[in-house]
Amino acid sequence: MSRAADRLTRFRGRLELPLIAAPMFLVSGVDLVAAACANGVIGSFPTVNCRTTEQLEAWLTSIAQRLATLEQTSGKAAAPWCPNLIVHRSNARLADDLAVLLMHRPEIVITSVGSPEPVIKQLHDIGTMVLADVASIRHAERAVAAGADGLVLLTAGAGGQTGWLNPFAFVRAVRQFFDGVVVLAGGVSDGVALRAAMTLGCDLAYMGTKFIATQESAADPRYKAMLVDSSADDILLTKAFTGLQTSMLRPSIVAAGLDPDDLPQRGAIDIGKDIDIGARESRPQRWRDIWSAGHSTSGVGGIVPIADLVKQTVSEFRSAG
C-alpha cells in the first residue's frame, strides 16, 4: 500500500467520490460544506470567510451538529469537513483560528499562501492530515520537506489566483519525488475529468466552479446565473486585480464598468484593498462584484442542489472507469 493510500484509508469508505469541494473565498459557507459532506464529498472552506474567529467557532459547531444529526438519522457517516488556513504572515488571525481548529480537531486541513511549517506540528499532534497548496515544483519540494502529508497542485485553469503549470506535467513531476497524497486543482468539471486525474496519479481532486453554481453556495445569484451563461472563453487571466495571475469572469468585469481588454498590467486597479467582508461600498470590489471562475465554467449547465451535482458526477466517474 502506498503512503497516500494508507493515509486516506481512514475515511475512504465515507466518500462517494475522491473529491474536495474547493475552498472558495466568499462562496464556501456552512450550507455548502455541510451539503458536500452529507453527500460524500470533502467539504472545505477558507477560515477567512468568517468575519471573526468567534464566527469560525460558530461555523464549525454548526457543521458538526448538522452532520451528527445526518449520521444519526441515516446511519451513514459523512465525509470529512476541511478548513483552509491562510498561513501567510499577513493573516493576523492565524494563531486564533488555529486554536479554534485544534479544539475542533479536523481530520484534514489545507494550508495556503506559504509553507505549512508554522502550523504543521500542532495539527499533526492532534492527528490532522495537512495538505499544502502549491503552484510550483520548488514550493512542492519545500512543503514536502516541511512535513506536509499531501499537496494540492494548483494548475493552469483553476479559478481565482491560479496556477500556471500544465496539470499533466505538474502531477507527473511531483510523483517523481513524492508518494503522499496528491490533489489536482484546476479544470475538473465532471466525473470523466475526475477519473482522468486518478489515472494521472492523483488521489483526490478539487471541484470548485461547479459548486459555485449550486443552491447551497453563498455566491450572489447573479454570479451563479453568469456561470450558467458563460464558457471557458469568458475566463480572463489577469494580474490587474490582485497583482497575481487570477482567473476572472469577463462579463463581471464588463458589468463593473471596466474594459476587460484594456486593464492595467499588474494590480493597478484601486477597487478596495483588503476587503471588509461586511462592507457594501458603492464602488466595485474584486471577489464581491468582479467574480472568479475556472476553465470548467463550460461544464456549468444550471444551478442545482449539491446532491444532484454529486449524483451526476458519481455516474460520470463510474462510466469513465
Side-chain angles (χ1 to χ4, degrees):
M1 178 181 292
S2 71
R3 189 158 70 101
D6 181 58
R7 290 184 174 178
L8 292 174
T9 296
R10 56 176 155 159
F11 52 75
R12 273 224 191 265
R14 293 152 54 194
L15 300 181
E16 289 294 323
L17 290 164
L19 189 66
I20 299 174
M24 295 174 286
F25 187 51
L26 301 184
V27 170
S28 306
V30 171
D31 290 345
L32 189 156
V33 172
C37 295
N39 286 281
V41 169
I42 297 168
S44 69
F45 69 99
T47 61
V48 294
N49 276 3
C50 302
R51 294 183 179 90
T52 63
T53 297
E54 290 72 22
Q55 187 178 43
L56 174 61
E57 162 68 25
W59 276 31
L60 294 180
T61 299
S62 178
I63 291 168
Q65 289 174 344
R66 290 193 194 191
L67 297 179
T69 300
L70 166 77
E71 292 176 354
Q72 289 171 1
T73 56
S74 69
K76 180 181 178 182
W81 48 270
C82 174
N84 173 208
L85 270 177
I86 305 299
V87 293
H88 192 268
R89 61 182 177 275
S90 63
N91 181 8
R93 279 175 34 193
L94 176 59
D96 291 339
D97 285 0
L98 176 62
V100 171
L101 297 189
L102 294 174
M103 182 174 62
H104 282 266
R105 305 178 73 88
E107 294 177 88
I108 313 170
V109 165
I110 298 165
T111 64
S112 296
V113 198
S115 169
E117 189 170 5
V119 301
I120 203 162
K121 183 182 185 303
Q122 290 169 281
L123 290 169
H124 278 171
D125 284 347
I126 62 168
T128 298
M129 175 186 293
V130 178
L131 307 178
D133 201 9
V134 297
S136 71
I137 302 297
R138 179 168 58 89
H139 289 148
E141 291 171 339
R142 288 181 176 180
V144 172
D149 303 294
L151 302 172
V152 179
L153 307 187
L154 189 60
T155 70
Q161 291 183 346
T162 187
W164 51 87
L165 290 176
N166 175 283
F168 291 93
F170 200 2
V171 173
R172 299 316 303 160
V174 166
R175 276 301 185 211
Q176 291 180 23
F177 62 86
F178 183 59
D179 68 348
V181 177
V182 168
V183 185
L184 176 64
V188 176
S189 62
D190 58 21
V192 177
L194 180 59
R195 177 68 72 181
M198 301 304 104
T199 301
L200 192 58
C202 300
D203 303 287
L204 298 163
Y206 270 10
M207 182 180 284
T209 300
K210 290 186 83 169
F211 276 94
I212 300 173
T214 59
Q215 293 177 2
E216 294 87 351
S217 137
D220 187 305
R222 296 170 301 160
Y223 185 1
K224 299 180 186 184
M226 188 176 288
L227 286 173
V228 175
D229 294 337
S230 298
S231 74
D233 286 347
D234 293 303
I235 304 303
L236 176 68
L237 186 64
T238 178
K239 294 182 179 180
F241 300 102
T242 69
L244 299 173
Q245 293 279 19
T246 308
S247 295
M248 307 299 279
L249 275 167
R250 279 178 169 269
S252 71
I253 297 171
V254 173
L258 300 169
D259 182 355
D261 296 317
D262 187 24
L263 296 173
Q265 289 297 309
R266 186 182 178 90
I269 295 177
D270 181 13
I271 55 171
K273 295 186 179 178
D274 294 331
I275 297 173
D276 175 356
I277 296 174
R280 288 297 179 266
E281 300 176 6
S282 58
R283 63 181 179 178
Q285 294 183 353
R286 62 180 183 267
W287 312 122
R288 193 198 76 190
D289 303 294
I290 300 173
W291 299 314
S292 68
H295 291 177
S296 55
T297 299
S298 286
V300 178
I303 302 167
V304 299
I306 284 177
D308 289 356
L309 172 59
V310 173
K311 183 178 179 180
Q312 176 185 344
T313 308
V314 167
S315 176
E316 294 162 346
F317 184 73
R318 291 175 178 170
S319 296

